[in-house]
Amino acid sequence: MAQAVPFSHKHHVGDIGLDCRYCHHGVETSASAGLPATEVCMTCHSQLFTNAEMLAPVRASLASGQPLQWQRVNAVPDFVYFNHSIHIAKGVACETCHGAVDEIPLTRRAHSLSMEWCLGCHRDPGPNLRPPQDVFLMHWKPPDDIEQIRRSLISVLDIHPETMTDCYVCHR
């Protein structure tokens, strides 16, 4: 899918080490993770690669005050309610749904995000949980006692798989 700028997560996350929250500022606090504003890009690109042709749309956006028109890659149907912040707060990592973005040159959908795919996790969230402080780590390696940690997380984070497949959870 063509974007306003050929943004590379591999370069920005994998090579440079930017944290997801730098560009997706709403991921911890709102339903939408948010797409980066031009000013976020210009934090670095006012100093680096200032004349690069691929960044012309960013410079034009800054000059005009018109936001970049990013194309949503991981969209779900309008009748589905998805909240990033609750998933992050409950210990579901970015890479669980978005894949290893630090290895992806151009953004693409890593998983189907179909109802059945989501229900698989809602039925049995344990395998997709990690301590909330680790949700932004790429290629996280679970400790030896991960099963005990996940059981504890389900309790401490108030996760109720028995109700997470009720239709109203995602369809409002």
Side-chain angles (χ1 to χ4, degrees), residues 40-142:
V40 172
C41 303
M42 290 304 290
T43 301
C44 297
H45 290 299
S46 64
Q47 303 294 313
L48 301 169
F49 307 109
T50 56
N51 294 318
E53 182 58 34
M54 73 168 46
L55 296 175
V58 179
R59 293 189 299 274
S61 170
L62 185 68
S64 71
Q66 294 298 313
L68 290 165
Q69 296 299 307
W70 297 107
Q71 301 300 312
R72 189 166 301 281
V73 173
N74 289 295
V76 294
D78 289 341
F79 56 83
V80 174
Y81 175 75
F82 179 84
N83 186 318
H84 273 91
S85 67
I86 193 69
H87 287 81
I88 295 298
K90 299 294 186 179
V92 179
C94 302
E95 68 181 331
T96 300
C97 301
H98 297 292
V101 297
D102 62 326
E103 298 173 358
I104 302 171
L106 296 177
T107 304
R108 62 174 167 73
R109 184 181 274 197
H111 298 287
S112 71
L113 306 182
S114 69
M115 183 171 150
E116 189 57 37
W117 187 83
C118 295
L119 281 171
C121 185
H122 278 221
R123 287 182 188 114
D124 184 18
N128 294 304
L129 299 180
R130 61 174 76 169
Q133 70 269 15
D134 295 338
V135 297
F136 299 104
L137 299 178
M138 298 302 300
H139 307 288
W140 177 76
K141 302 290 185 233

